[in-house]
Amino acid sequence: TATTTAPTLETPPLVVVAAAADVRARLAVYHSCAIPSLSPGLYQWRLMCALRCSPSLAVAAAIYLERLCARRGSVLTPHNVHKLLLTALLVAFKFWEDAGPAGLAVFSALSSLPRSEVATYERLLMYELSFDLLISEAQKRDFLARLP
């Protein structure tokens, strides 16, 4: 069994956080008034540990976020990155782990957000991605090769 270690300050997160001034209107629903104290990397690690999911799900979630930013001209900011990470991981978890509706309840409990709110985030992300959730091995290799 592989051991999971917490990311350090030197560990690059799988997502790049842009300046807060670059918030796009289409991601306003994910916007948090306060910036969470937990870094995006540590938040992602916490979710993955609680779910006991494989690192490949984190890669899938990061690819979904990258697609979102590329296709829609959206950016990740300190105000939206946590909800978007949660949502992208939920979508990856349900799609790749075949978790079904039960996954929504788990993510709602982990995030302390109402189930209906998490469901809305999930639905909006799926529409923004045009339901394009398949990831080829070549796409995965390309993404991993670009990581620092």
Side-chain angles (χ1 to χ4, degrees):
T1 312
T3 59
T4 306
T5 58
T8 64
L9 291 176
E10 294 81 72
T11 304
L14 290 179
V15 295
V16 176
V17 179
D22 293 331
V23 176
R24 305 277 188 212
R26 67 176 51 90
L27 293 184
V29 70
Y30 297 100
H31 186 82
S32 295
C33 293
I35 298 173
S37 59
L38 200 58
S39 74
L42 286 173
Y43 183 66
Q44 182 179 37
W45 179 76
R46 189 186 125 225
L47 289 172
M48 292 184 60
C49 287
L51 295 166
R52 297 182 182 163
C53 62
S54 69
S56 62
L57 281 183
V59 171
I63 289 172
Y64 295 158
L65 292 177
E66 185 177 72
R67 286 178 183 176
L68 174 71
C69 292
R71 290 180 182 177
R72 304 293 184 211
S74 304
V75 294
L76 302 178
T77 71
H79 289 278
N80 69 17
V81 68
H82 291 80
K83 288 181 181 177
L84 282 165
L85 274 171
L86 173 84
T87 308
L89 198 54
L90 168 64
V91 169
F93 186 73
K94 288 177 75 173
F95 184 75
W96 294 101
E97 299 291 328
D98 197 23
L104 186 59
V106 171
F107 278 80
S108 176
L110 285 173
S111 65
S112 300
L113 294 171
R115 191 174 180 166
S116 61
E117 188 175 337
V118 176
T120 298
Y121 296 153
E122 176 190 13
R123 187 174 51 255
L124 290 173
L125 182 62
M126 296 283 289
Y127 278 109
E128 287 291 324
L129 294 174
S130 301
F131 295 88
D132 181 15
L133 301 180
L134 290 176
I135 299 170
S136 70
E137 283 299 316
Q139 290 170 323
K140 184 178 173 182
R141 276 192 309 274
D142 176 60
F143 178 83
L144 292 172
R146 289 184 281 117
L147 290 178

